[in-house]
Amino acid sequence: KLIYAEYIFAQSIRNVGQNQGVLAYNLINTAVKLNPYSDRYHLFSSAINLALAEALSTKAEINDEDKANISKLVQQSIREGKAAVAVAKYKSSNWESLSDTYRKLVSFAEGADIFAIESLNQAISLDPINPILRIKLGSLYFSQTKYDLAIDTFKLAIVAKPDLPNAHYNLAIAYKE
């Protein structure tokens, strides 16, 4: 069953590469059903759901059915991200992925920024020396015009990796604001 799930997962990845999103969506859902204990499957499913929602939202004319499907896909994306975290809750990258999903929804869903910050804080607690996580967190604070928090967070990113230009740049922009 696990080997078959891996085969289905590989087929899903292949279909994404061939721009066959709906088929990839169906295949990854099958893989998740076969092996619900793989955080990789849940993360990939989350990404596919969000990508399909984004693709639907860029249509020239969006009807009520499209709106319902977009909402459903976004909810599934979040649910799959949470499932990945539930499967491997001590894996920082799963929390980061969940945060990235929420970050993409900040302008559409009320409270998404709060969930993104909470998820990033959890990722940071699991991987405290990862400067990229702190840059993402600082960027969220910056977008909320919480410049003092952004400055403090960018400083910690610099402490973690002093030669990372992105952290210095973001810190300078936060100071400017």
Side-chain angles (χ1 to χ4, degrees):
K1 199 172 177 182
L2 297 177
I3 293 170
Y4 184 59
E6 277 296 313
Y7 172 76
I8 296 296
F9 178 60
Q11 293 298 316
S12 181
I13 292 171
R14 184 172 299 122
N15 281 294
V16 167
Q18 296 171 348
N19 249 356
Q20 306 224 345
V22 175
L23 186 54
Y25 169 86
N26 292 329
L27 287 169
I28 194 60
N29 286 336
T30 301
V32 166
K33 286 177 188 167
L34 288 169
N35 182 8
Y37 305 107
S38 172
D39 60 328
R40 293 180 311 131
Y41 297 175
H42 290 291
L43 290 175
F44 195 69
S45 177
S46 176
I48 287 176
N49 278 288
L50 198 56
L52 289 173
E54 287 174 7
L56 271 176
S57 69
T58 60
K59 286 175 59 176
E61 291 187 30
I62 300 174
N63 58 32
D64 290 339
E65 182 182 350
D66 290 336
K67 289 178 185 177
N69 285 334
I70 290 168
S71 177
K72 179 182 170 188
L73 288 165
V74 166
Q75 290 171 2
Q76 284 179 309
S77 178
I78 292 169
R79 191 169 39 253
E80 289 298 328
K82 288 180 177 179
V85 165
V87 168
K89 63 183 172 186
Y90 298 114
K91 197 170 180 182
S92 176
S93 59
N94 288 350
W95 287 100
E96 179 182 10
S97 179
L98 180 59
S99 175
D100 288 344
T101 300
Y102 283 125
R103 282 173 36 142
K104 290 178 181 176
L105 301 173
V106 164
S107 59
F108 304 107
E110 188 175 328
D113 55 342
I114 295 167
F115 291 119
I117 288 170
E118 289 174 0
S119 299
L120 267 176
N121 279 325
Q122 185 62 36
I124 289 169
S125 72
L126 294 169
D127 188 5
I129 60 171
N130 184 339
I132 302 302
L133 297 174
R134 296 196 188 271
I135 289 172
K136 287 181 177 184
L137 182 59
S139 297
L140 273 169
Y141 287 140
F142 186 87
S143 69
Q144 295 178 329
T145 66
K146 296 178 180 176
Y147 302 121
D148 290 337
L149 288 172
I151 288 168
D152 292 342
T153 306
F154 292 137
K155 283 180 182 177
L156 290 172
I158 291 170
V159 168
K161 186 158 176 56
D163 62 342
L164 187 62
N166 195 358
H168 290 279
Y169 175 80
N170 286 318
L171 178 61
I173 297 298
Y175 272 130
K176 180 182 175 197
E177 291 300 319

